[in-house]
Amino acid sequence: MNIIILIIAATSIISFIAFNNIGIFEKYKFSVGAIQNRKEYVRLLSAGFLHADIMHLVFNMLTLYFFGPIVVQGFGNIGFLIIYLGSILLGNIFSLFIYQKQPWYSAIGASGGVSGILFAAIAMLPDIGIYLFFIPIPIPGFIFGLLYFGYSVYMMLNPRQHDNIGHAAHLGGAFFGLVYAIANQPERAIDNALYIGIMALPLIYLSYEIFIRKRIG
């Protein structure tokens, strides 16, 4: 079976089971308190197979379906799995670092893994056209990447009440996918260095805020 379809099927089945079983949902979602206090590290991965509702699940799986083939073609099935699962893990580890002083923080969703796949694809094809909702004009991939990173960084630095989007997981996952693609396709990275550099500008700024100004964490 195609690895992309297998991941979509597994994620959908597990998500549907959790929709109707709050016990499973609570046991396997990402939870800072549970990971820190009870060492339930399985949540770092299992949260990527849970979703809040049907729309959340469909959006993530459609994105994976459309951009996954580019990654499979470039890195093979094993590379796809490494990027997808590695992005989920790094995204949640980054969230754990960012929210380590907020034990109540929790999150779910495959967005970290999907972000990793999306940005690995953009790193290989920076001018790939990405359509947003009902906008008929495609946005170049590297411009989308810049906006995506910029928005996520802004929301992390300026948190809003009731914002349930895991921006840290998105950033961590996208970063993993981007770095993996660069490390395994260095010749393409050199050719696309300008585009990748433009995309990375918000990440450089975030690093400054975290490690120099100590604004987060």
Side-chain angles (χ1 to χ4, degrees), residues 25-126:
F25 187 88
E26 291 296 327
K27 183 177 180 179
Y28 292 107
K29 72 179 182 180
F30 175 86
S31 169
V32 172
I35 295 170
Q36 287 182 329
N37 299 329
R38 299 196 296 273
K39 314 301 180 186
E40 296 177 354
Y41 298 115
V42 67
R43 293 172 181 264
L44 294 171
L45 182 61
S46 62
F49 292 86
L50 302 174
H51 287 81
D53 51 45
I54 293 292
M55 288 306 298
H56 186 203
L57 174 64
V58 169
F59 180 80
N60 274 336
M61 295 303 99
L62 278 178
T63 304
L64 188 63
Y65 179 79
F66 286 120
F67 288 94
I70 299 174
V71 174
V72 170
Q73 183 178 4
F75 305 105
N77 289 333
I78 298 300
F80 173 88
L81 277 178
I82 291 174
I83 293 172
Y84 186 72
L85 298 179
S87 296
I88 290 176
L89 285 171
L90 185 63
N92 285 329
I93 289 171
F94 185 50
S95 294
L96 186 63
F97 169 73
I98 293 297
Y99 302 109
Q100 59 185 296
K101 297 179 181 177
Q102 302 175 34
W104 48 264
Y105 181 85
S106 64
I108 39 84
S111 299
V114 172
S115 295
I117 294 297
L118 176 60
F119 276 81
I122 292 176
M124 297 176 66
L125 299 172

